[in-house]
Amino acid sequence: MKAELKKGSINHIIKDTDIYEAGEFLDSIAMVVKGRIRVHGYGLNLVVGSGCFLGIRDLNRGAHGVTYTALTNAVIYVFPSSGAMSDLRGIMKINKDYVALMVVGLHRSLAEQERAYEELQEAAEGSYEMTFRIYHKCRQIAQETGTVFEELAAVEKLHPFDEPQMLSLDKVHYYQACAKVPMDVQKAFYGSSAEICIYHVREQVGLLHQLHDYSKSLTEYLSQMMHYLILDGRNLYLAVSGFAQTLQRAGQDASGVMTDLDEVIDRINSLESVLQKRADVECVIDRGTMEETYYNLLNPSHGTGGPDMSGDTLALVEDCGVDVSELVDSLGTILSFGEIEQERAERFEDLVAQFEALEDKESSTDEARSLRRNLMKDYYPIYEKVFLKDYQSAEEAPAEVELFLRYGFLSERLLREDMIEDLLTLDQGSIYQNGCHVFDMKEWLTAVMDGDRMPSKNEFDMDYEEFLRDKLKNKEITEEQKKSLLKSRKQRLHFEVMNMFRLTHRLVSGQIVSFVPFLYTEGCSNLERNFLSKEKVSAAFNRLRRIDYSVFYREVLYTGEISDIKKEFIQVEVCPDVILMPTVGSRDIMWQELSGRKRDSEGRLILPAFLEGDLDKTVAHLAGSFRWELCRTMQGVYWNNIQYKSLTSEYSDFLQFYRKNRNLSDDRKEKLKLQIQKHRNNSREIFAADYMNWILHESQGGMLLSKPVREIMATYCPFTQELRQNLEGQPVFMNAMARFERERAKKCKEYDMKFRVWEKDQVEVPPEIVHTKEFYER
């Protein structure tokens, strides 16, 4: 339905009515007085609210380039327009405050459109990597087993998304910074001169169009990718599922291919979601055929004995014994169980009720921000008391309390019934998962209380002991109090909840402004699909270790009691602890590279329990950050001193002098400059981005890195022997790995000589040193 607009007056718009349509002649622009408007078109889908101007992005273009649809009942004021940017002068004469609202609205649109572009870009990279990897893996298995895998001509010709020359991020960041300036200052500045206003509007509109053009290209690429994955008659889903069935009938192990099929399904679901959410593109998928094909694979009549319940991606269990209808007044149950004092309980219930009543739960108004701050102020003390009661209680906690502690569930009124059903059927799994220890928040705090893990560092990089020493130094506590606090379980718990948990909870969500520490419908997409089971997390880290075998190794001094071995350094693999925050999120956090002063202590990595993103890409980013910080810690003050060769010193030197590097073309230098700007000159993040390309693309033969970076990666983050052999045919990789191979051969020769001496002297070599020798031979 199309609205009939009256120019120069207030217009009431009914929900789902189109205000302007793409291609319509531009003879007016409108200011949103009340309500929410969806701005959409091919490659674009965002929502704007009160104070924003509609149609301003297409001034000087003659016609509207996108469609504006009322998402709720709305009120707008329509200004007549000739379609020229100079019309802003007339609006400014009516009320100079309008132009400030206009520019601020563009700030928000620009920030949202950049986020959408990044999401589409990540989806393109992840889709290409997965499709390339799984297709060629299946072909290789078919060759090894003598079976047949269907060749797909379209996938054979598949190439990564050809990213256009990106707009200057400096300008985008400038306008994002402008958005944070107080409104009264912006009104005074933009309202002081029509020339200032028009300049800022014109430049931001130009940036919006550039981003939209790039998003259109990405949307086209992703739409084509959906055809390759599921929409074409011959697609990857049917090819992989058919191949799994072939292996089953041939009596071969099809579990690996089934895992790959699950990954293809996840990618199809995530692509469908991102295209709809960010690009206004609906994909018509035949779910019935997909489900039938998958069911046939799991049908025991095929002789497989049914699905393997220990698979990497299985996240559900049959039944938990609790029905959704039994969850009544969950918040009251949680507060009562934790024995929360009446005043705080009533205040918190009132705050939750106010949040529930918000029409826009992600609103950035002062009232909404104040409400969220007050909710968080009470949430963490409540969480601490509920956990402590559960820890001390010999009885099994109610289901509501379990969901609260593990996943952030708070009230059945905040989540749809199907979402609560998903929560009730999630499988907790065991903490130890073949390498990494994966904890949900309840399990982690239990480990801290039991003394199995010391509390994490706080925001000032101080662990619990250092924190107490600092208080003693400042004479805030006595020596006796310090000893008592160090042993106190409750104080360790309090330190962990109010520092690591409270700080990372918000960060890992990715919603810094609109974050609340509990689950609600509008803040969740698909809980079942996004849930990170411990098996799934462990499998992702194991896939990483099958590419970068040394990622969690470090060199430590051997401390055995064999007198004939005086001083020997050994290689030890110490997999980090992974902590799952009870929230939905899109970010990962490398919180600690070590747990204490010992070099062989576990690091601490943080993930959301429900990840909105690609898990393999997230794990690769975490590992890159971990490698960087561990090297910094091991090298101490010499971490960036090129005289002491290390991963961080060589990469830092590369970043510092890249403009003079003759191995970089001008195009490469410009791309690196943009990469540095994107990551705000943060060396660790720049390295992590390159490491992700090294793991996800270069390990499969793709060439995305520059020559100097590839050589650094090959030297300090080498692939497994199998992958190195696969890449031997490519000269660029052979040259990059030459230094690593020389140093590896030198180490092997050194250990051969040592072992001959120990054998001659009849020294029983400890297994740690034997393992180190095997490490260098890999």
Side-chain angles (χ1 to χ4, degrees), residues 113-121 163 166 214-215 218:
Q113 210 162 312
E114 187 205 17
R115 282 195 293 272
Y117 173 77
E118 288 179 352
E119 268 190 52
L120 292 169
Q121 191 178 38
E163 185 179 351
M166 185 55 180
Y214 298 158
S215 295
L218 274 165

Side-chain angles (χ1 to χ4, degrees), residues 203-219:
E203 188 167 67
Q204 288 194 88
V205 165
L207 294 173
L208 286 171
H209 283 297
Q210 279 185 276
L211 275 171
H212 190 189
D213 289 340
Y214 298 158
S215 295
K216 285 178 182 176
S217 301
L218 274 165
T219 302

Side-chain angles (χ1 to χ4, degrees), residues 585-601:
S586 58
R587 301 287 185 221
D588 56 85
I589 301 173
M590 204 300 296
W591 190 248
Q592 289 177 220
E593 69 282 2
L594 299 174
S595 300
R597 295 192 184 93
K598 290 185 177 180
R599 292 189 168 203
D600 58 351
S601 58

Side-chain angles (χ1 to χ4, degrees), residues 268-286:
I268 290 169
N269 291 337
S270 66
L271 271 188
E272 180 186 27
S273 174
V274 77
L275 281 169
Q276 182 178 1
K277 178 183 174 184
R278 291 301 195 183
D280 198 34
V281 172
E282 292 279 350
C283 297
V284 182
I285 299 173
D286 187 353

Side-chain angles (χ1 to χ4, degrees), residues 225-289:
M225 187 67 75
M226 280 294 278
H227 279 272
Y228 297 158
L229 291 178
I230 190 63
L231 298 180
D232 281 349
R234 297 177 64 205
N235 58 63
L236 188 66
Y237 177 82
L238 291 178
V240 175
S241 58
F243 183 51
Q245 202 166 49
T246 300
L247 289 175
Q248 288 176 346
R249 288 172 177 169
Q252 301 282 347
D253 181 15
S255 59
V257 177
M258 285 297 294
T259 299
D260 292 336
L261 184 63
D262 287 340
E263 192 176 348
V264 172
I265 294 170
D266 288 344
R267 178 60 61 179
I268 290 169
N269 291 337
S270 66
L271 271 188
E272 180 186 27
S273 174
V274 77
L275 281 169
Q276 182 178 1
K277 178 183 174 184
R278 291 301 195 183
D280 198 34
V281 172
E282 292 279 350
C283 297
V284 182
I285 299 173
D286 187 353
R287 294 286 177 182
T289 301

Side-chain angles (χ1 to χ4, degrees), residues 469-589:
R469 271 200 303 273
D470 186 63
K471 289 179 79 71
L472 178 64
K473 181 181 176 182
N474 294 329
K475 298 182 179 179
E476 297 177 36
I477 57 174
T478 64
E479 182 66 37
E480 289 72 22
Q481 286 175 319
K482 178 197 164 192
K483 290 178 182 178
S484 174
L485 290 170
L486 196 57
K487 295 177 183 177
S488 171
R489 290 186 174 193
K490 289 185 179 180
Q491 288 302 316
R492 287 204 301 264
L493 170 67
H494 181 71
F495 185 85
E496 191 72 350
V497 170
M498 300 311 291
N499 287 283
M500 186 279 285
F501 181 26
R502 183 176 59 85
L503 293 168
T504 61
H505 205 188
R506 176 198 289 260
L507 293 174
V508 84
S509 74
Q511 301 295 326
I512 304 300
V513 176
S514 59
F515 171 73
V516 288
F518 47 78
L519 300 180
Y520 62 97
T521 297
E522 294 84 347
C524 306
S525 51
N526 188 321
L527 292 178
E528 178 188 336
R529 185 181 70 220
N530 294 336
F531 175 59
L532 293 185
S533 66
K534 297 185 179 74
E535 291 83 0
K536 190 185 289 187
V537 173
S538 180
F541 276 98
N542 288 337
R543 285 194 294 272
L544 172 80
R545 291 162 69 203
R546 288 195 289 269
I547 298 172
D548 181 0
Y549 68 93
S550 64
V551 60
F552 299 128
Y553 276 84
R554 74 283 311 269
E555 192 176 65
V556 299
L557 184 66
Y558 174 66
T559 56
E561 297 179 355
I562 299 177
S563 58
D564 294 294
I565 299 177
K566 302 295 182 186
K567 185 179 180 181
E568 190 68 34
F569 286 95
I570 58 173
Q571 287 286 345
V572 179
E573 184 179 35
V574 185
C575 292
D577 291 331
V578 182
I579 307 166
L580 303 176
M581 288 288 129
T583 189
V584 175
S586 58
R587 301 287 185 221
D588 56 85
I589 301 173

